[in-house]
Amino acid sequence: MISAAIAAVPAGSAQASPRFCKVASVAAAANDIPHKGSMRVFRRETLCLINRERARHHMRPLRLNKRLTRASLRHSRNMIRKRYFDHGNFVARIVNVRYVKRRQRWALAENIAWGTGSLATPAQIVAAWMRSPGHRANILNRRFRDIGIGIGVGAPAAVHAAARAATYTTDFGRKG
C-alpha cells in the first residue's frame, strides 16, 4: 500500500551519493526486509536508491536531514502502533520538529508505503513509488533538497503473525 501528499506554502545533514550504494553491506540491504538494529543501513540504502533515480534524471541528490527524519520515523511508528495508514497533517508534523517555520517560504511533500515479506525491502518500496505518478513526482521534484526517511518494523494493518513487515515514510523539503 502506498500514498503520496504534497504541500507548498509561501507563508508570512549528511548526503548519500550514488557511490554510497557500492558499499557491499549497504547494497545488500536493498533486498532485505528491515529489522530492528539495522535501521541506519536500511535508511541509507533507501536514500541511495532514491538518489540513484534522481541521478538518472540529471538531478542533484537529496540530503538526509535529521529533523525531517525524526518526523518521518515518528509517523511510521505511529501508523504501526495505532494501526492506520494515512498522511494526516504532515505539514504540522514537520513544523513541530522545527524543520520549517510557519512564517517562512517552504515546499514539503510526503510518500508513505508499507509491505510484507519481499515487498517490504527498500528496493521494492522505491520501485513501487517510481511506478506511481504522485510518488514519482515527489522523488523527482527539483525543488526539494532535503529528505527524511523513517522506517518502522511492522505494518499499519493486521498481517499474518509470521509475516515480516516494514512501514516507510519519506518527507521531502526545501526551505526558502
Side-chain angles (χ1 to χ4, degrees), residues 2-175:
I2 58 176
S3 182
I6 188 165
V9 175
S13 290
Q15 180 174 319
S17 69
R19 290 187 311 272
F20 190 83
C21 294
K22 293 179 181 176
V23 176
S25 63
V26 175
N31 295 305
D32 197 6
I33 301 166
H35 50 278
K36 292 180 180 169
S38 298
M39 284 305 172
R40 185 177 188 179
V41 171
F42 291 102
R43 184 172 47 247
R44 289 285 184 183
E45 182 57 25
T46 303
L47 175 61
C48 183
L49 292 166
I50 288 170
N51 279 338
R52 188 179 286 163
E53 293 296 337
R54 289 175 64 88
R56 286 183 184 142
H57 291 84
H58 310 288
M59 299 172 66
R60 70 170 50 169
L62 296 169
R63 299 171 297 205
L64 191 62
N65 179 278
K66 289 181 182 182
R67 291 181 181 192
L68 286 175
T69 294
R70 187 177 313 128
S72 298
L73 183 57
R74 286 177 182 170
H75 188 56
S76 289
R77 288 177 175 168
N78 195 49
M79 287 190 294
I80 294 165
R81 186 174 45 256
K82 295 185 178 178
R83 299 278 189 236
Y84 73 95
F85 186 71
D86 193 283
H87 294 281
N89 189 343
F90 76 94
V91 173
R93 284 196 316 273
I94 293 169
V95 169
N96 287 340
V97 297
R98 298 185 182 125
Y99 173 71
V100 294
K101 297 175 185 171
R102 291 197 186 277
R103 291 194 175 104
Q104 75 181 119
R105 295 176 57 91
W106 46 260
L108 302 171
E110 178 173 84
N111 288 352
I112 58 176
W114 69 276
T116 59
S118 63
L119 298 178
T121 67
Q124 289 298 315
I125 294 295
V126 172
W129 281 335
M130 291 306 292
R131 289 189 301 269
S132 164
H135 298 92
R136 180 184 179 89
N138 287 343
I139 290 169
L140 299 179
N141 190 321
R142 291 185 185 278
R143 290 185 299 176
F144 299 131
R145 297 290 181 253
D146 300 320
I147 188 170
I149 301 171
I151 306 169
V153 175
V159 295
H160 187 275
R164 291 176 54 200
T167 300
Y168 292 70
T169 301
T170 51
D171 288 319
F172 302 88
R174 180 169 185 170
K175 301 181 231 183

